Amino acid sequence: MIEKNILVSKNQIIIRSVPFDLEKEKWNEKNISDGIIWRKNYIVLDPLVDDSFGAWFIIDKRNDIELDNNSIRAALLPFEIDNEEDFSINTISESIYLFKNDKIDEPLEKTKGKYYPLNSKDNINFSRGKYSLLFEICLGFPPVENSQNEVYYKFSFIENNNPEFKVLKDDDYGWKVNTCLDERQGRLITK
């Protein structure tokens, strides 16, 4: 498991496995209403909290779906890792790279808001393929030592050859269990 406290700002969290592309992060009215911009290898999510704030990101690779008791939003999102060397979870100001890179100067990269937690963790690795990303927004005490009651985010990657979008619980922000993803248009629809 990876635990990193990250600065969240500009109302977006980006998960991608292809190079950065600002065009893929442009919100329109429908995306704003949905709280997501979805592409199979580039997802932009609304963190549901305005302003800039620090929040724990809990990242894991799992075999099963297990919801956090504190989740206020929980959904499975189809996601593909196309290029391991671009695989990252990002905010506007900081990035967590989810591949090992022994060639970088880690202290220098940290000063730039770039983190490589897999350089020191041998018990987790990600490879090319399809995943169900269990994305959770939680409110409570994160599973991190000396944490406070706060908003935190969980990203659990579950290998799956046929991932499907599925909202796992109704939330107060518009996602309901009958919400579906139109993958051709990358938009949410309600059944």
Side-chain angles (χ1 to χ4, degrees):
M1 183 180 319
I2 298 163
E3 302 157 344
K4 190 72 191 148
N5 199 291
I6 295 293
L7 178 64
V8 179
S9 61
K10 306 289 186 191
N11 283 31
Q12 61 185 35
I13 297 169
I14 304 111
I15 303 108
R16 62 180 175 81
S17 68
V18 294
F20 168 76
D21 184 343
L22 188 57
E23 287 299 312
K24 292 181 178 177
E25 297 179 20
K26 289 190 175 175
W27 295 83
N28 61 35
E29 283 186 40
K30 179 66 173 142
N31 299 133
I32 291 170
S33 172
D34 289 347
I36 185 173
I37 300 171
W38 182 87
R39 289 177 182 82
K40 68 179 185 171
N41 53 20
Y42 210 112
I43 301 172
V44 185
L45 296 161
D46 181 345
L48 298 183
V49 179
D50 292 333
D51 297 323
S52 296
F53 59 97
W56 284 101
F57 280 23
I58 313 297
I59 304 162
D60 206 359
K61 187 175 177 185
R62 305 177 51 98
N63 295 320
D64 57 352
I65 299 167
E66 185 178 328
L67 293 184
D68 189 300
N69 291 334
N70 294 324
S71 66
I72 59 173
R73 170 167 281 180
L76 292 171
L77 310 174
F79 184 73
E80 284 186 31
I81 298 177
D82 289 337
N83 180 358
E84 296 101 315
E85 292 184 6
D86 287 309
F87 183 35
S88 58
I89 298 177
N90 312 271
T91 64
I92 295 299
S93 55
E94 297 187 284
S95 297
I96 303 169
Y97 293 99
L98 296 169
F99 59 92
K100 194 170 195 160
N101 185 347
D102 294 324
K103 296 175 183 171
I104 56 117
D105 179 345
E106 272 192 81
L108 177 62
E109 293 301 306
K110 283 181 184 179
T111 66
K112 299 175 187 176
K114 297 178 180 181
Y115 305 98
Y116 292 84
L118 298 186
N119 280 3
S120 59
K121 289 189 180 283
D122 290 329
N123 63 341
I124 186 170
N125 70 352
F126 297 96
S127 56
R128 290 178 61 129
K130 295 181 180 184
Y131 292 81
S132 289
L133 166 56
L134 172 56
F135 172 67
E136 296 177 271
I137 300 175
C138 304
L139 182 57
F141 290 90
V144 177
E145 196 172 312
N146 298 321
S147 62
Q148 299 176 13
N149 190 1
E150 61 186 311
V151 172
Y152 61 99
Y153 300 87
K154 293 183 83 174
F155 307 85
S156 301
F157 293 87
I158 304 160
E159 290 185 73
N160 185 343
N161 289 329
N162 298 303
E164 294 182 22
F165 178 90
K166 183 176 183 181
V167 174
L168 301 176
K169 65 189 300 183
D170 290 346
D171 68 43
D172 295 335
Y173 306 94
W175 287 17
K176 306 295 180 200
V177 293
N178 64 345
T179 302
C180 299
L181 174 69
D182 178 346
E183 291 189 22
R184 290 182 319 247
Q185 296 186 16
R187 295 186 172 177
L188 299 185
I189 54 175
T190 304
K191 287 184 186 178

